[in-house]
C-alpha cells in the first residue's frame, strides 16, 4: 500500500481504510460481480486499467498488488466516488 500511495501521491491510510471497508482487506473477497480488495466490477476494472496502460483482465482484481496500484491510480485522478460507502 505504501509503495503505490507514494507513487500516486495518495494517502496510504485512506487506501487501507477503503480496502478494509470493501473486503476486510481480503484480496480473494467476492460479492456478486464485485471482487478483490477494492471490490472492482469487471467493467470498472477494465476501464481504469486501460487508462493506466495495464492489463484489464478481470481476474487480476484478485491480485492484491494490482488492486492496490489500481485503487491508488483511481484516487490520484479524483475518482474515489466509485466507493461511495467507504471513502472517509
Amino acid at each position: 500500500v505504501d509503495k503505490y500511495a507514494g507513487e500516486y501521491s495518495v494517502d496510504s491510510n485512506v487506501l487501507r481504510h477503503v480496502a478494509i471497508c470493501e473486503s476486510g482487506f481480503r484480496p480473494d473477497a467476492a460479492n456478486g460481480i464485485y471482487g478483490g480488495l477494492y471490490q472492482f466490477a469487471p467493467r470498472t476494472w477494465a476501464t481504469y486499467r486501460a487508462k493506466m496502460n495495464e492489463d484489464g483482465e478481470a481476474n487480476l482484481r484478485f491480485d492484491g498488488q494490482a488492486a492496490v496500484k489500481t485503487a491508488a491510480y483511481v484516487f490520484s485522478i479524483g475518482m474515489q466516488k466509485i466507493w461511495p460507502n467507504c471513502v472517509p
Side-chain angles (χ1 to χ4, degrees):
V1 172
D2 292 330
K3 174 184 176 181
Y4 292 117
E7 185 176 320
Y8 287 97
S9 300
V10 299
D11 187 336
S12 62
N13 292 318
V14 173
L15 287 176
R16 282 187 192 88
H17 175 86
V18 173
I20 290 167
C21 178
E22 288 289 341
S23 70
F25 218 80
R26 293 185 357 249
D28 63 340
N31 182 16
I33 65 167
Y34 304 100
L37 285 172
Y38 295 91
Q39 295 293 286
F40 283 102
R43 183 178 296 219
T44 304
W45 177 260
T47 297
Y48 288 110
R49 295 289 286 183
K51 291 179 183 208
M52 298 168 67
N53 294 316
E54 297 279 352
D55 187 349
E57 164 57 43
N59 286 332
L60 287 173
R61 298 174 297 158
F62 299 100
D63 177 280
Q65 187 169 337
V68 172
K69 182 176 183 177
T70 305
Y73 170 77
V74 171
F75 270 92
S76 77
I77 62 169
M79 295 303 294
Q80 59 271 20
K81 68 181 180 184
I82 68 172
W83 299 288
N85 300 314
C86 290
V87 173

